[in-house]
Amino acid sequence: MLNLDRIESLFRLRRAAALAATTALAFVLSGSGRPIGTLGPGFFDPAKPPPPEGMIRPMPGSWDAVHPPRGYRVVLLTAGDDHPTTTLVTAVKQWADAEHVRLETIAVPVPRLFVDGIVEAIDLRPDLVICAGNALVDALALVTASHLDQRFLVVGAQLPEPTVNVTAAIWRGASSRGREVVDTAASFDPLAFTHERASAAIRAGVASVLHDLTGIVIWLD
């Protein structure tokens, strides 16, 4: 004798499982915004998370397991063709290619267009705007506080007073704060901009942003 209640129950479970599978597939295909992988030990102390504008000094490689989700969109904002800038730009493009990130580049030719270039990047509504080098720092300081819903990662420089949406990845010789603070050899040294340093800073910075550790400075030893 057929147990109609049991058959109906099994049918409901199968239908729910099919719906869950379809939803999960759509979630993956659309790009969830969630990182793939987790931060390793030594990236930061979970018991003492960094305060706004605080600094962390992650252990080398503690970010290696973190990758952007499918469909992650990045705008690379750059100005100039000097050695530090070109090194950073090359590293960002290689990272984007390796991680299958959808990358658009905005190269701002002259200082009077810096603000316009930043606004153009924001208007594209990417998941992240990556700013290469120190030339754009002063313009970023003017614009970013008015666009808190847009995340920024500054590589090889930092804002004097970053807001919660601006994260910086820096190292010795690549920590300029713009015109408000006079550069020294410790804050800006063109020879400090190596491909290895730039690549590590990009990966560490993106890993931090993906885990919602934003508005901080990441110092790479």
Side-chain angles (χ1 to χ4, degrees):
M1 182 176 178
L2 294 176
N3 188 327
L4 296 179
D5 288 339
R6 180 173 175 80
I7 291 174
E8 184 177 0
S9 178
L10 289 173
F11 177 78
R12 287 177 177 173
L13 287 172
R14 182 173 295 179
R15 184 171 60 181
L19 178 61
T22 302
T23 302
L25 178 60
F27 185 75
V28 171
L29 292 178
S30 64
S32 67
R34 296 180 180 178
I36 299 171
T38 57
L39 296 170
F43 191 84
F44 78 109
D45 184 357
K48 298 179 180 179
E53 302 183 34
M55 179 183 290
I56 61 172
R57 304 180 77 146
M59 293 286 292
S62 58
W63 52 81
D64 285 348
V66 180
H67 305 277
R70 182 173 180 173
Y72 199 68
R73 295 179 57 243
V74 171
V75 171
L76 169 60
L77 190 59
T78 178
D81 58 0
D82 54 277
H83 166 71
T85 302
T86 55
T87 299
L88 293 169
V89 168
T90 299
V92 171
K93 290 182 176 179
Q94 290 181 352
W95 164 80
D97 185 60
E99 296 290 347
H100 306 291
V101 166
R102 296 166 59 187
L103 180 69
E104 295 184 60
T105 301
I106 295 176
V108 188
V110 292
R112 64 181 175 83
L113 296 177
F114 283 178
V115 170
D116 291 340
I118 297 169
V119 172
E120 181 182 351
I122 294 170
D123 287 344
L124 291 173
R125 299 186 179 277
D127 295 297
L128 181 65
V129 176
I130 297 181
C131 304
N134 64 346
L136 292 159
V137 165
D138 296 316
L140 286 168
L142 292 174
V143 178
T144 52
S146 300
H147 298 274
L148 296 179
D149 57 338
Q150 176 61 62
R151 291 182 167 186
F152 293 83
L153 172 63
V154 184
V155 183
Q158 57 184 317
L159 270 60
E161 297 181 6
T163 45
V164 69
N165 57 326
V166 183
T167 304
I170 61 174
W171 58 98
R172 182 175 175 83
S175 61
S176 175
R177 293 174 179 262
R179 287 183 297 181
E180 284 193 20
V181 181
V182 178
D183 281 329
T184 65
S187 63
F188 183 73
D189 177 3
L191 297 180
F193 289 79
T194 64
H195 180 73
E196 292 74 19
R197 281 291 193 187
S199 298
I202 293 159
R203 290 188 175 276
V206 172
S208 187
V209 171
L210 287 171
H211 282 84
D212 297 322
L213 290 170
T214 60
I216 63 170
V217 174
I218 303 163
W219 180 275
L220 301 181
D221 290 317

